[in-house]
Amino acid sequence: LWILAHNTLFLSLFVGTTITTNSSSSPPPMIMSAINRHGFLMFIVANLTTGLVNQSISTMDVKDDMALCILYIYMSALGGIALLMENNKILTRWNENNTTKRKE
């Protein structure tokens, strides 16, 4: 039940952020743009880190509060990686064409 509550909370925060910042005068939040622009690479990194967590921690035996800490660290790390890629202008083969068409 707490997984449902946790995911619903974050989805509603993301939707709320999108609704409140989705005007023609303001761009979307940088982290959302970064994850969107580097979607395929973020998918690969997320899958690799999920495997790393599952191999290094006995996930079935972790208490709820520790599991939430792991999830928050995991989400923060993935967001940080996306922002680093965006700030350092790291381009991949999959997003080169989209970046050149984008207006700055």
Side-chain angles (χ1 to χ4, degrees), residues 7-64:
N7 291 338
T8 304
L9 170 69
F10 275 94
L11 283 175
S12 58
L13 287 173
F14 291 144
V15 168
T17 302
T18 303
I19 290 171
T20 57
T21 61
N22 195 13
S23 66
S24 60
S25 62
S26 66
M30 187 176 186
I31 192 164
M32 293 175 83
S33 296
I35 291 173
N36 188 36
R37 192 165 298 118
H38 304 287
F40 181 71
L41 192 56
M42 292 307 302
F43 172 76
I44 298 297
V45 170
N47 279 328
L48 290 173
T49 52
T50 298
L52 181 69
V53 168
N54 287 338
Q55 291 295 319
S56 61
I57 297 171
S58 177
T59 54
M60 296 302 287
D61 299 330
V62 175
K63 295 186 188 292
D64 290 349

